[in-house]
């Protein structure tokens, strides 16, 4: 059972374009994290959101936690080749179970 | 400041052989996690330890897999006997106690079982 579904699974865009990645679940999460993973390396934490409706910004990246704490989105403005990687959401549900999402593989073409 | 250290980085073995993966967590961290990543199943939590004690091993696929943490600075994941379907990248991550929302990952061990 995959509790955290991400979409799209693959995304290829031109440098300078904007994009949004989604992380959805039917479960409520006490917190949700976004990681980025580059080839040959482990995931690196980008942000944690804990409050329903919370919005956090990290330079050109904007993260939002859904009001019901069941979903989240990651928006990248003016994507750059350095943004290329696998984006993973992760979270701990109210049953203290921890899951990673299915992942979105992003390629930004120069 | 060293991050999480894993060894070996790559392992190629034949079916039926024993495989041992090693992890050194970040100094001062007292929670350690083992994950497996494949294209088909994504990143799966296998087991995690708090203060060297296994807390949840429900993700361990079967009895062929075992994990130990004899002290705060070392953990092993053993597969015996290994099978081709065990081929994956195995990650170790560490954090301070109960902060599963802020994990620091090692570079991973790419395991290929022929």
């Amino acid at each position: 059972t995959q509790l955290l579904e991400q979409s799209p699974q693959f995304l290829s865009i031109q440098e300078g374009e904007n994009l949004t990645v989604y992380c959805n679940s039917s479960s409520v999460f006490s917190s949700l994290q976004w990681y980025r993973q580059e080839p040959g390396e482990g995931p690196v934490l980008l942000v944690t959101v804990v409050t329903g409706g919370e919005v956090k910004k990290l330079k050109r990246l904007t993260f939002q936690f859904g009001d019901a704490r069941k979903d989240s989105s990651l928006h990248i403005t003016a994507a750059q080749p350095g943004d290329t990687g696998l984006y993973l959401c992760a979270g701990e549900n109210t049953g203290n179970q921890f899951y990673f999402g299915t992942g979105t593989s992003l390629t930004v073409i120069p | 400041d060293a991050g999480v250290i894993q060894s070996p980085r790559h392992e190629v073995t034949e079916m039926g052989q024993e495989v041992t993966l090693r992890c050194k967590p970040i100094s001062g961290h007292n929670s350690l996690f083992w994950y497996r990543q494949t294209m088909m199943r994504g990143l799966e939590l296998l087991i995690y330890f708090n203060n060297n004690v296994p807390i949840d091993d429900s993700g361990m696929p079967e009895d062929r897999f075992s994990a130990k943490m004899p002290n705060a600075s070392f953990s092993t994941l053993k597969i015996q006997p290994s099978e081709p379907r065990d081929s994956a990248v195995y990650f170790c991550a560490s954090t301070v106690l109960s902060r599963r929302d802020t994990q620091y990952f090692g570079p991973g061990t790419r395991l290929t079982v022929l």
Side-chain angles (χ1 to χ4, degrees), chain A residues 14-19 60 75-80 83:
Chain A
Q14 294 287 343
E15 181 177 359
E17 293 183 351
N18 302 331
L19 66 113
R60 294 176 293 101
H75 182 80
I76 301 179
T77 303
Q80 299 178 1
D83 296 328

Side-chain angles (χ1 to χ4, degrees), chain A residues 37-52:
Chain A
Q37 183 180 16
E38 298 187 12
E41 299 181 9
V44 175
L45 179 67
L46 296 175
V47 77
T48 296
V49 286
V50 297
T51 305

Side-chain angles (χ1 to χ4, degrees), chain A residues 1-82:
Chain A
T1 302
Q2 185 54 263
L3 288 191
L4 285 169
E5 296 285 346
Q6 290 186 237
S7 62
Q9 186 177 2
F10 298 97
L11 187 57
S12 181
I13 63 171
Q14 294 287 343
E15 181 177 359
E17 293 183 351
N18 302 331
L19 66 113
T20 302
V21 174
Y22 301 92
C23 175
N24 295 300
S25 175
S26 57
S27 299
V28 176
F29 286 82
S30 55
S31 71
L32 197 140
Q33 296 77 50
W34 283 93
Y35 287 79
R36 181 170 67 207
Q37 183 180 16
E38 298 187 12
E41 299 181 9
V44 175
L45 179 67
L46 296 175
V47 77
T48 296
V49 286
V50 297
T51 305
E54 181 177 2
V55 177
K56 281 192 174 180
K57 292 190 175 184
L58 184 64
K59 296 183 180 179
R60 294 176 293 101
L61 279 60
T62 301
F63 306 84
Q64 184 163 7
F65 202 9
D67 291 340
R69 292 184 291 138
K70 293 183 178 182
D71 54 82
S72 180
S73 64
L74 158 60
H75 182 80
I76 301 179
T77 303
Q80 299 178 1

Side-chain angles (χ1 to χ4, degrees), chain A residues 2 9-10 31 33 35 37 40-45 47-48 50 86 88 92 96-102, chain B residues 9 33 35 37 39 41-45 48 56 89 91 98-108 110:
Chain A
Q2 185 54 263
Q9 186 177 2
F10 298 97
S31 71
Q33 296 77 50
Y35 287 79
Q37 183 180 16
E41 299 181 9
V44 175
L45 179 67
V47 77
T48 296
V50 297
L86 178 67
L88 296 159
E92 185 167 10
N96 294 320
Q97 296 168 306
F98 187 80
Y99 299 94
F100 271 85
T102 50
Chain B
R9 290 296 309 275
F33 307 81
Y35 291 89
Q37 187 175 40
M39 286 292 292
R41 301 177 64 89
L43 196 61
E44 302 173 281
L45 177 63
Y48 79 94
D56 183 358
V89 181
F91 288 101
S98 300
R99 285 301 307 275
R100 293 194 286 186
D101 61 344
T102 309
Q103 298 181 33
Y104 296 83
F105 281 77
R110 180 173 293 278

